[in-house]
Amino acid sequence: MKLYGHPMSTCVRKVLTVLAEKGHEAQFVLVDLMKGEQKTPEHLARNPFGVIPVLEDEDFTLYESRAIIRYLDQKLPGAALTPTELRARALMDQWMSVEQSYFSTPAIKILFQRVIHPMRGQQSDESVVEASKGEIARALDVVDKAVAGQEYLAGSRFSLADISWMPYLQCLEISKVGELITDRPNVAAWWKRISARPSWVKASS
Ligand SMILES: N[C@@H](CCC(=O)N[C@@H](CS)C(=O)NCC(=O)O)C(=O)O
């Protein structure tokens, strides 16, 4: 298997976490975002949207991180990251959808304002940061209630849902808005629990 990506990418980190949970190594092919390599004809042939990650499994090419992690979980041996029980599985899907609909976009917006723009010599627009913080607070208030009485988003077992949220929770810390996590005791305990997993430590270092 080949994984095309960049080690700093949030979407790639999800895939690397799943590979590490499964104890599987894929050949990592660097697509240098700093050099715009994701927009070359060679990469556009792999992913017409010009983004990473892309997975190649022999003659099969797959893009979109959430599709890739579902594929890898089904394909590879090792501990299942998708619950078999119907309702737990439905909850996993619900939380992956909530992440995509309400959480990752404002988290990335803050990362751009606070980290990426200053790296490029541009000013941070704090009105964007404030609006995004409001959206994130709403999502994390909901998560705080959900993980009050259970260890993981889908119930008692770590799943793809937790993995989907992890890179964006890390973005909040990197962007110096970690109080969005620490102000919510159940979210803070959940983040501490999942970010200590060796798979995440390996994928995010
Ligand atoms: N929905 C896509 C998003 C992919 C994406 O936006 N990847 C970013 C890195 S995290 C990227 O390649 N950015 C470069 C660009 O937009 O040119 C997925 O989940 O795979």
Side-chain angles (χ1 to χ4, degrees):
M1 276 185 195
K2 278 188 190 171
L3 174 63
Y4 293 84
H6 189 286
M8 299 301 283
S9 147
T10 48
C11 299
V12 170
R13 286 184 171 186
K14 280 179 231 172
V15 179
L16 291 172
T17 305
V18 170
L19 287 169
E21 285 284 337
K22 296 284 187 181
H24 190 87
E25 294 276 342
Q27 184 189 340
F28 193 86
V29 183
L30 180 70
V31 177
D32 195 338
L33 299 182
M34 312 305 149
K35 293 186 184 156
E37 286 178 358
Q38 73 278 22
K39 308 296 185 208
T40 59
E42 201 185 3
H43 189 73
L44 287 167
R46 291 178 208 115
N47 180 342
F49 297 98
V51 290
I52 52 168
V54 174
L55 182 79
E56 275 179 8
D57 184 12
E58 297 179 352
D59 60 345
F60 180 60
T61 303
L62 187 65
Y63 51 82
E64 285 299 315
S65 59
R66 296 164 191 87
I68 294 172
I69 62 176
R70 285 183 158 108
Y71 175 78
L72 289 174
D73 187 36
Q74 298 299 310
K75 158 116 194 179
L76 296 174
L81 297 165
T82 303
T84 47
E85 198 272 315
L86 178 65
R87 291 184 178 184
R89 189 183 183 125
L91 284 176
M92 181 191 90
D93 287 336
Q94 171 191 281
W95 287 114
M96 288 177 79
S97 186
V98 169
E99 167 268 300
Q100 188 167 14
S101 304
Y102 312 112
F103 183 62
S104 45
T105 302
I108 293 289
K109 277 189 191 168
I110 296 181
L111 185 78
F112 266 81
Q113 294 305 325
R114 286 280 175 90
V115 182
I116 312 280
H117 287 179
M119 262 167 47
R120 293 174 179 161
Q122 297 160 354
Q123 280 227 315
S124 159
D125 181 342
E126 286 300 303
S127 67
V128 174
V129 173
E130 282 314 306
S132 303
K133 278 173 78 173
E135 287 179 55
I136 289 169
R138 184 173 71 126
L140 289 182
D141 280 345
V142 177
V143 173
D144 202 54
K145 287 199 187 89
V147 292
Q150 62 192 43
E151 279 187 88
Y152 303 107
L153 287 174
S156 57
R157 297 275 301 274
F158 182 71
S159 77
L160 296 178
D162 303 288
I163 293 175
S164 301
W165 284 68
M166 291 171 82
Y168 309 109
L169 289 161
Q170 186 188 39
C171 281
L172 302 182
E173 289 185 335
I174 295 170
S175 308
K176 306 270 183 282
V177 289
E179 73 279 3
L180 287 162
I181 299 172
T182 52
D183 284 353
R184 295 172 173 78
N186 304 314
V187 169
W190 167 63
W191 173 233
K192 194 173 171 193
R193 192 177 306 128
I194 59 180
S195 59
R197 292 181 81 87
S199 60
W200 173 251
V201 174
K202 184 176 177 196
S204 62
S205 58

